[in-house]
Amino acid sequence: DAKTTQPNSMESNEEEPVHLPCNHSTISGTDYIHWYRQLPSQGPEYVIHGLTSNVNNRMASLAIAEDRKSSTLILHRATLRDAAVYYCILRPQGAQKLVFGQGTRLTINP
Amino acid sequence: EAGVTQFPSHSVIEKGQTVTLRCDPISGHDNLYWYRRVMGKEIKFLLHFVKESKQDESGMPNNRFLAERTGGTYSTLKVQPAELEDSGVYFCASSQLRDRHTNEKLFFGSGTQLSVL
């Protein structure tokens, strides 16, 4: 499984944008970039995924580098409820299981 | 619509005892997965069911763990006999079954916190 590298932790302030980086230099052409997050005392929760183009949904935006070796999850206006561990996961097309790394622990200050 | 439900939310047992965890997936989801996080480690895949069949059980740690999904609905994960190192949080997830080229998103339950003393 291709590996991703994320910072262990990040901190931001409420109502400010947050950019969570992820490096995946060994990504292959059929790997989708998935982001999940885990809120305290909850199971992981799907956030967004993409292949080549940037993606937007109601939760976040995903910006994918042109060479696909890195990506950034963007929370446009962080709230206290966004405090969680964010996982960047490479998932080959058609692959069913997710391979979790350590993720980035995001702290939001009021 | 109900999400993925896991029972119990917490279980405390003694070493050598047996524990059975249950997972009810989202209705209509043919894919069912078990994951776990042991202390200080990453979330690890255990196994994957498609309906009642085990599709991938490469993550099962040893033969003390037995997963079943009779009838393709709910699933159970039994640990017998439990050891200290089995302590952790066990997550269940489900997803819809599409074609093999599609990455369907997984919906996770809140997990079962297992403590083996």
Side-chain angles (χ1 to χ4, degrees):
Chain A
D1 298 307
K3 185 175 171 57
T4 63
T5 304
Q6 300 177 252
N8 288 333
S9 63
M10 290 185 64
E11 199 169 325
S12 185
N13 298 318
E14 200 175 7
E15 299 188 2
E16 291 184 356
V18 180
H19 291 231
L20 295 161
C22 180
N23 288 317
H24 29 78
S25 58
T26 59
I27 192 170
S28 74
T30 57
D31 286 344
Y32 282 76
I33 302 159
H34 285 245
W35 283 81
Y36 280 73
R37 71 179 185 180
Q38 187 176 15
L39 280 67
S41 301
Q42 298 292 321
E45 173 188 34
Y46 170 83
V47 178
I48 201 166
H49 79 279
L51 183 63
T52 56
S53 303
N54 294 344
V55 185
N56 299 296
N57 66 22
R58 64 175 182 80
M59 289 181 71
S61 296
L62 176 60
I64 302 173
E66 199 170 327
D67 64 3
R68 301 213 319 129
K69 293 187 177 182
S70 66
S71 60
T72 303
L73 180 71
I74 303 166
L75 308 178
H76 294 286
R77 202 158 170 258
T79 70
L80 295 178
R81 288 178 296 176
D82 291 320
V85 179
Y86 286 78
Y87 298 97
C88 171
I89 299 169
L90 298 184
R91 192 178 184 196
Q93 183 183 36
Q96 295 303 315
K97 68 183 182 185
L98 299 174
V99 180
F100 288 86
Q102 295 281 12
T104 296
R105 181 172 298 278
L106 176 65
T107 300
I108 304 295
N109 299 315
Chain B
E1 179 184 314
V4 176
T5 306
Q6 292 188 245
F7 182 82
S9 57
H10 293 81
S11 180
V12 181
I13 60 172
E14 293 188 353
K15 175 183 171 180
Q17 289 185 322
T18 298
V19 63
T20 300
L21 313 181
R22 173 170 170 145
C23 169
D24 286 77
I26 292 172
S27 177
H29 281 191
D30 288 328
N31 287 312
L32 188 148
Y33 312 81
W34 284 97
Y35 287 79
R36 76 170 180 177
R37 183 207 295 275
V38 295
M39 183 67 74
K41 302 284 189 179
E42 298 161 1
I43 298 172
K44 292 288 190 187
F45 167 83
L46 295 179
L47 90 161
H48 167 215
F49 284 99
V50 176
K51 299 183 182 179
E52 68 276 8
S53 299
K54 291 176 185 174
Q55 191 75 11
D56 179 356
E57 48 185 327
S58 61
M60 294 288 265
N62 52 60
N63 60 10
R64 295 186 293 103
F65 289 75
L66 175 64
E68 295 180 320
R69 193 183 181 196
T70 306
T73 54
Y74 71 91
S75 175
T76 58
L77 179 64
K78 182 162 71 173
V79 186
Q80 180 183 27
E83 298 290 344
L84 299 179
E85 64 264 25
D86 300 331
S87 295
V89 183
Y90 289 76
F91 295 105
C92 175
S94 71
S95 70
Q96 290 183 307
L97 181 65
R98 304 277 197 204
D99 60 79
R100 63 186 181 90
H101 299 293
T102 304
N103 284 161
E104 291 297 322
K105 62 184 180 183
L106 272 63
F107 294 84
F108 283 79
S110 295
T112 293
Q113 174 76 57
L114 175 64
S115 298
V116 183
L117 307 179

